[in-house]
Amino acid sequence: MMAVIVIALIFQRNLFSVVVLAGIYSFLMATVLVALDAVDVAMTEASVGAGISTVLLLGALHLCGGEEAKPLQRGWLPLAVTLVIVGALVYGTLRLPAFSDPHAPIHTHVVPRYLEQGPKETGVPNVVTAVLASYRGYDTLGETIVVFTAGIGVIALLRRRRRDKDGR
Amino acid sequence: MKREPVLRVVGKMLIPYMLVFALYVQFHGDFGPGGGFQAGVISAAAVIFYAIIFGLPAARRVMPEALVEAMVAAGALLYIAVGFAGLLLGGNYLDYFVLDTDPVAGQHRGIFWVEVGVLVTVSGVMLKIFYMFAGRQRED
Amino acid sequence: MQAFASHYTYWVTVLLLGAGLYIMIARGNLVKKLVGLSIFQTSVYLLYIAPGKLIGGTAPIVSEAYQVYSNPLPHVLILTAIVVGIATLALGLAIVVRIREAYGSIEEDEIVAADAQAGDGR
């Protein structure tokens, strides 16, 4: 179903429906993530992708005003490039471990330690929160700073200055 | 939109629950899915919902611009301060086990304050970005 | 056939990635390009999380009733990636708004033509 949504998104020209379709896509992605047992990630994707992202896109559309995208006149080059890249990636993924293989390298190095020692060392049963806030606390600090930077970047770009000489 | 009675009534009923849900997600991040980011986004969404229904000036009265701008920076500063607290009490930067006599309780305390910092920054940034987009007039 | 059943998730991911990439390079409207970018990013999240799932496992919240858990490490990385993705989207939209105010349009060919005209006229 996600493939149907994405294909519809490619061909839609009305930007408002593009935004709505992107919100639907985010919710579908969140359900797929729940099916893959990634509940924290699913909650974040649902709230961020389908909530805030849709609000921001609608706000930008209101300011930009363009409701129709122009029809495509590019020719076949983008499609050819995309198909080459997709082909190369499919060839590359043939050597990846099979789905749900317990001996894949992803399950063997440091994760058993996190799963066993995490609740004992931190007292927090949710291993994702324990890893995020305690074992990999630096990464979360960096992420908070990235969000902060995005905030001040938007402030810097969209602030209105009262200038008497220039229109800008 | 505030003249629509259905939207006004539903909004007044839902917004407190959304805020309480955001706090629930924040504090139950230890025992179920959740944590700072999800809670920050949900609480920002509650205020954005209020702004959409009752108008931007009403939302600006509830959450003034200066407060939101302060929140953006305060959360990041809180996170950095927790790191320094670890440094001052004898461990490395961002060590939590020195924050209390019992190392596990120290971890709990550290994780709690760090998630509060993340909540404040994320909800401040989302709300500020919404204010900037919604408050700008169209040029043509 | 064996390869299909066990690698099916990767190919779904690659198809979504290709669709997002196509929207980004083949459409001229700047807002649509940003939507394509976010589709590209979500397909990468799927690429990271799918290998972490163990059939018969459960979400990585330790409790007495379950023994097998899905891998929590990709969840942590992708949580960060989602938030960074929305930060990128917000900044991109702010730039698009400024471009609209400076050039009057958000179609890429109109902007390039306006730039070329300004460059020749000088």
Side-chain angles (χ1 to χ4, degrees):
Chain A
M1 198 152 64
M2 285 172 74
V4 171
I5 297 277
V6 170
I7 303 227
L9 232 162
I10 294 180
F11 289 109
Q12 266 296 336
R13 287 174 45 214
N14 185 345
L15 287 180
F16 183 70
S17 35
V18 163
V19 171
V20 170
L21 282 174
I24 299 176
Y25 174 80
S26 280
F27 269 127
L28 285 176
M29 175 62 79
T31 15
V32 169
L33 288 172
V34 168
L36 289 176
D37 287 342
V39 285
D40 266 79
V41 181
M43 187 183 271
T44 312
E45 169 68 30
S47 56
V48 161
I52 294 290
S53 184
T54 307
V55 167
L56 288 184
L57 281 167
L58 286 176
L61 271 189
H62 164 76
L63 285 174
C64 290
E67 292 247 327
E68 286 284 327
K70 284 227 201 100
L72 172 70
Q73 282 129 10
R74 297 287 156 113
W76 293 103
L77 183 59
L79 190 60
V81 167
T82 307
L83 286 177
V84 164
I85 292 182
V86 164
L89 282 172
V90 166
Y91 173 66
T93 58
L94 285 175
R95 300 285 238 132
L96 284 178
F99 185 63
S100 179
D101 175 13
H103 298 293
I106 194 177
H107 296 290
T108 51
H109 289 288
V110 77
V111 174
R113 182 200 185 279
Y114 284 158
L115 279 173
E116 288 164 29
Q117 306 285 336
K120 282 190 230 124
E121 282 179 359
T122 58
V124 167
N126 187 355
V127 183
V128 173
T129 300
V131 173
L132 190 67
S134 175
Y135 289 110
R136 306 261 163 125
Y138 271 110
D139 301 344
T140 311
L141 174 64
E143 172 185 4
T144 313
I145 301 296
V146 166
V147 171
F148 171 73
T149 308
I152 62 178
V154 172
I155 293 177
L157 278 171
L158 292 184
R159 188 197 287 278
R160 289 248 188 236
R161 296 189 166 281
R162 302 188 189 283
R163 299 243 170 131
D164 24 31
K165 283 188 295 185
D166 260 335
R168 299 208 279 156
Chain B
M1 228 189 275
K2 68 172 160 223
R3 297 204 191 94
E4 293 275 343
V6 174
L7 280 175
R8 231 179 28 223
V9 167
V10 170
K12 283 197 174 167
M13 285 199 310
L14 274 185
I15 290 175
Y17 283 113
M18 285 168 80
L19 288 171
V20 169
F21 184 64
L23 286 177
Y24 167 77
V25 165
Q26 161 78 14
F27 294 120
H28 264 77
D30 294 349
F31 303 101
F37 301 102
Q38 293 90 325
V41 170
I42 295 176
S43 69
V47 182
I48 290 177
F49 191 41
Y50 181 77
I52 289 179
I53 294 186
F54 293 97
L56 203 53
R60 282 217 173 98
R61 252 177 283 140
V62 173
M63 297 280 291
E65 295 256 1
L67 174 67
V68 176
E69 286 180 7
M71 273 167 68
V72 169
L77 280 175
L78 179 60
Y79 200 127
I80 296 176
V82 169
F84 274 117
L87 202 59
L88 290 172
L89 286 170
N92 297 315
Y93 188 74
L94 273 180
D95 261 348
Y96 296 149
F97 63 89
V98 296
L99 293 176
D100 198 76
T101 44
D102 173 25
V104 177
Q107 292 273 347
H108 244 297
R109 210 178 264 188
I111 292 180
F112 175 77
W113 284 113
V114 156
E115 295 278 351
V116 168
V118 169
L119 164 80
V120 168
T121 288
V122 169
S123 69
V125 165
M126 297 299 160
L127 204 50
K128 181 66 185 169
I129 294 180
F130 173 72
Y131 276 174
M132 299 237 82
F133 271 107
R136 200 171 171 83
Q137 272 94 29
R138 279 173 66 157
E139 285 265 315
D140 46 34
Chain C
M1 214 53 220
Q2 171 68 17
F4 182 78
S6 59
H7 290 87
Y8 163 72
T9 40
Y10 297 125
W11 296 344
V12 169
T13 302
V14 169
L15 276 167
L16 290 174
L17 199 147
L21 186 66
Y22 181 71
I23 296 179
M24 266 202 288
I25 57 183
R27 291 292 187 253
N29 191 309
L30 290 178
V31 171
K32 205 159 179 201
K33 278 188 204 278
L34 283 174
V35 170
L37 178 68
S38 82
I39 293 179
F40 190 94
Q41 285 172 330
T42 46
S43 79
V44 172
Y45 308 152
L46 205 57
L47 180 70
Y48 267 80
I49 292 188
K53 156 104 178 143
L54 286 172
I55 297 184
T58 175
I61 299 175
V62 171
S63 87
E64 306 288 315
Y66 300 100
Q67 273 75 41
V68 184
Y69 301 104
S70 291
N71 199 332
L73 200 53
H75 300 352
V76 174
L77 305 174
I78 299 303
L79 216 59
T80 304
I82 293 180
V83 180
V84 169
I86 193 194
T88 307
L89 182 72
L91 275 175
L93 285 173
I95 294 180
V96 168
V97 166
R98 286 299 294 261
I99 287 180
R100 171 74 161 77
E101 290 177 2
Y103 287 90
S105 122
I106 51 174
E107 296 286 336
E108 191 188 352
D109 22 11
E110 291 176 11
I111 296 172
V112 168
D115 259 347
Q117 254 185 350
D120 291 338
R122 220 164 280 159

